[in-house]
């Protein structure tokens, strides 16, 4: 009987990123950043970039695989996949799509990447200059629901009301990210610690989000190189194997104009179940989590939907002490993530999960060899990924 | 809609709603222009908003439009402080409510909650619609806003 799974079949053997910048500070064009990240990942993998034959990305990344392949002098392009959907919901699915190409024989060596220059192409936190609006945004923009903070505060506000979540739960998530960023020289917020008083005194963006509940707007690019598991063993760095991956959302999550039936949700109920089923493990086996912080409230929901606590337990579980490496119960966002390392649409979280599996994080978790990544809460489709060391196979 | 002079809750300058080129939402926006709230109600009894070409329940195409009373209750709300558009700079906070309509299968729609932007907002509070006429943006359009029910 053949079991249809990615478990143990594909490994990440190289990771690379550009320097990370505040938006508008990158001296390089976005496409150049994408190339730099790919070359850095190849160098880390000890691999000739010309052997790449597959590309995978998400969120309508502008850096087209054919242009990338031409620029890199790649001998033969095979797989080119784009995960549908905006936001960071696809950051794990892009890895899964690339891995599926390898596992199914459509490609041999896939690079998954995301490059984002908000300085060059416009900030996510600002509405465009259009004078009319149609489609789903027509029901939102005229009322001042223009950008992600305003769209997602409504979900989080409802969730917090339904389950009695206190603001301190969000605060703990923000402070854990900033804490980990202080150990990470790559982080944009390295050297800029956040204390509780500063968090609480920060201005509102859209209640219940204060400034530090919201991701940054940055310029950066990041990439990972994947090959079949049997090819991964002789690489310079310890391979990070895919234990499981899933994407999607539940019934009518995409119903227009805020009409999803399960509204106060991060969209992972079905996706988390699929992930654990493929990996053959459960939440108690997970040693470290990288969870996309578009907003801290999304993390509150996403971690509950991945089974780490029931919503009613969120206040007691989500404390600073529980979320920091190495001592916390569930070290979270150990690079600083979207809040404090760099907002590369969550792709920096994939690289950090690989570092945890390798044991090379600047905030290493004791059980880093089972690393969960959760991509883009509250959008659809969302996705997630479990990486593990060889000992987990 | 009683005011002869258009009064806008938010500063002028935000994008004006317009039907798609394929006309999918035209009945909704045209209805607001006439002071009527219409949403789709399929012959199978399923309510649907925003509009779709297909009933998601029974797969009949072109679900008919049905006028409903603009009354509902607050399903969620937010007070927005950060200006995500140049016209909002310096304006100060404003309230957005997500209103569900029990008389229309609990479909939800967004609007602003009129009145003091610093008022305490209660989940589940009853609200009634206010048609807010705009003559800006070159051609007229109407938004549906909400105020606490008397």
């Amino acid at each position: 009987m053949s079991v249809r799974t990615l478990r143990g079949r594909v490994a990440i053997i190289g990771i690379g990123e550009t320097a990370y910048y505040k938006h508008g500070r990158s001296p390089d064009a976005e496409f150049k950043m994408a190339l730099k990240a790919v070359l850095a990942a190849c160098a880390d993998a000890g691999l000739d970039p010309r052997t790449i034959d597959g590309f995978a990305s998400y969120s309508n990344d502008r850096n087209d695989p054919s242009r990338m392949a031409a620029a890199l002098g790649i001998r033969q392009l095979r797989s080119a996949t784009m995960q549908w959907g905006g936001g960071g919901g696809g950051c794990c699915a892009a890895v899964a799509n690339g891995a599926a190409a390898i596992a199914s024989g459509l490609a041999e060596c896939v690079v998954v990447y995301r490059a984002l220059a908000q300085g060059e192409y416009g900030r996510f936190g600002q509405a465009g200059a259009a004078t009319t609006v149609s489609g789903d945004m027509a029901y939102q923009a005229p009322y001042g629901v223009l950008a992600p903070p305003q769209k997602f505060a409504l979900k989080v506000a409802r969730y917090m009301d339904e389950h009695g979540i206190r603001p301190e739960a969000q605060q703990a998530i923000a402070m854990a990210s900033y804490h980990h960023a202080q150990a990470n020289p790559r982080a944009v917020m390295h050297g800029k610690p956040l204390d509780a008083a500063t968090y609480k005194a920060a201005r509102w963006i859209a209640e219940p989000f204060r400034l530090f509940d919201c991701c940054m707007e940055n310029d950066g690019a990041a990439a990972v190189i994947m090959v079949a598991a049997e090819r991964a063993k002789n690489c310079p760095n310890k391979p990070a194997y895919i234990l499981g991956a899933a994407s999607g959302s539940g019934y009518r999550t995409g119903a227009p104009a805020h009409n999803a039936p399960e509204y106060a949700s991060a969209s992972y109920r079905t996706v988390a179940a699929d992930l654990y089923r493929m990996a053959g493990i459960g939440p108690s086996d997970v040693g470290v989590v990288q969870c996309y912080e578009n907003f801290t409230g999304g993390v509150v929901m996403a971690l509950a939907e991945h089974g780490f606590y029931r919503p009613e337990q969120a206040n007691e579980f989500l404390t600073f002490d529980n979320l920091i490496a190495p001592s916390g119960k569930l070290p979270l966002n150990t690079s600083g993530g979207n809040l404090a390392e760099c907002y590369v649409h969550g792709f920096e979280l994939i690289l950090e999960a690989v570092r945890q599996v390798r044991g090379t994080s600047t905030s290493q978790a004791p059980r880093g060899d089972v690393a969960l990544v959760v991509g883009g809460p509250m959008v659809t489709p969302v996705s997630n990924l479990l990486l593990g060391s060889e000992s987990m196979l | 809609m009683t005011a002869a002079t258009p009064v806008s809750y938010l500063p002028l300058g935000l994008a004006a709603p317009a039907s798609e080129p394929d006309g999918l939402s035209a009945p909704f926006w045209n209805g607001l222009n006439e002071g009527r709230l219409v949403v789709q109600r399929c012959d199978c009894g399923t309510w649907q908003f925003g509009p779709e070409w297909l009933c998601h329940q029974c797969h009949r195409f072109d679900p008919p439009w049905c006028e409903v009373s603009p009354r509902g209750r607050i399903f969620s709300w937010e007070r927005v402080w950060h200006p995500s558009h140049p016209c909002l700079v310096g304006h100060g906070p404003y309230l957005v409510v997500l209103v569900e309509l029990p008389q229309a299968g609990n479909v939800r729609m967004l609007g602003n909650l009129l009145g003091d932007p610093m008022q305490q907002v209660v989940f589940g509070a009853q609200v009634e619609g206010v048609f807010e006429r705009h003559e800006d943006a070159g051609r007229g359009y109407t938004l549906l806003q909400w105020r606490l029910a008397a």
Side-chain angles (χ1 to χ4, degrees), chain A residues 99-123:
Chain A
I102 292 170
S104 58
L106 295 173
E108 298 289 330
C109 177
V110 172
V111 61
V112 193
Y113 61 101
R114 182 80 177 107
L116 199 51
Q118 294 201 44
E120 184 179 353
Y121 286 101
R123 298 174 60 174

Side-chain angles (χ1 to χ4, degrees), chain A residues 126-128 141-142 144 146, chain B residues 8 10-15 83-92 94 136:
Chain A
Q126 287 290 314
L146 298 154
Chain B
S8 177
L10 288 175
L12 300 183
L14 293 174
S84 283
H85 190 283
C87 79
L88 296 169
V89 174
H91 171 71
Y94 57 94
D136 47 297

Side-chain angles (χ1 to χ4, degrees), chain A residues 5 68 74 96 114 201 205 266 276 289 316 361 393:
Chain A
T5 182
M68 296 275 285
I74 277 167
R114 182 80 177 107
I205 300 299
Y276 289 132
V289 179
E316 48 189 292
S361 170
L393 298 180

Side-chain angles (χ1 to χ4, degrees), chain A residues 123 125-136 138-147 149-158 161-162 203-208 251-252 254-264, chain B residues 10 13-21 25 28-29 32 48-52 56-57 74-86 88 94 96-98 106-112 123 137 139 141-145:
Chain A
R123 298 174 60 174
Q126 287 290 314
T131 55
T132 62
V133 57
S134 294
D136 206 41
Y139 311 109
Q140 306 182 71
Y143 304 103
V145 178
L146 298 154
Q150 299 113 40
K151 289 183 186 176
F152 296 125
L154 289 160
K155 279 180 181 280
V156 172
R158 173 84 191 182
D161 182 68
E162 280 181 4
R203 63 193 172 95
W204 289 112
I205 300 299
E207 296 175 42
Y251 175 68
R252 277 177 58 76
H258 294 249
N259 276 274
E262 202 177 332
Y263 184 74
Chain B
L10 288 175
L14 293 174
S19 175
E20 308 79 356
S25 65
F28 174 72
W29 297 114
L32 292 189
Q48 198 158 271
F49 185 79
E52 296 280 7
H56 67 268
Q57 193 65 41
I74 294 174
F75 183 81
S76 193
W77 69 278
E78 63 180 331
R79 191 166 8 247
V80 180
W81 294 74
H82 180 75
S84 283
H85 190 283
L88 296 169
Y94 57 94
V96 176
V97 285
L98 181 59
N106 287 327
V107 298
R108 304 180 203 126
M109 48 190 72
L110 286 173
N112 298 117
F123 288 87
R139 55 181 185 75
Y141 62 95
T142 305
L143 300 179
L144 182 60
Q145 303 288 26

Side-chain angles (χ1 to χ4, degrees), chain B residues 84-148:
Chain B
S84 283
H85 190 283
C87 79
L88 296 169
V89 174
H91 171 71
Y94 57 94
L95 287 170
V96 176
V97 285
L98 181 59
V99 175
E100 65 175 354
L101 278 58
Q103 71 280 21
N106 287 327
V107 298
R108 304 180 203 126
M109 48 190 72
L110 286 173
N112 298 117
L113 183 64
L114 304 183
D116 180 1
M118 295 307 294
Q119 68 186 285
Q120 186 153 13
V121 185
V122 178
F123 288 87
Q126 303 289 317
V127 289
E128 56 191 25
V130 177
F131 294 89
E132 182 184 282
R133 182 68 188 160
H134 284 248
E135 302 295 348
D136 47 297
R139 55 181 185 75
Y141 62 95
T142 305
L143 300 179
L144 182 60
Q145 303 288 26
W146 301 90
R147 67 180 170 215
L148 290 176

Side-chain angles (χ1 to χ4, degrees), chain B residues 1-41:
Chain B
M1 194 173 66
T2 53
T5 309
V7 175
S8 177
Y9 177 77
L10 288 175
L12 300 183
L14 293 174
S19 175
E20 308 79 356
D22 61 19
L24 173 62
S25 65
F28 174 72
W29 297 114
N30 292 341
L32 292 189
N33 283 336
E34 296 160 7
R36 300 186 306 125
L37 174 60
V38 297
V39 297
Q40 288 179 320
R41 183 173 190 265

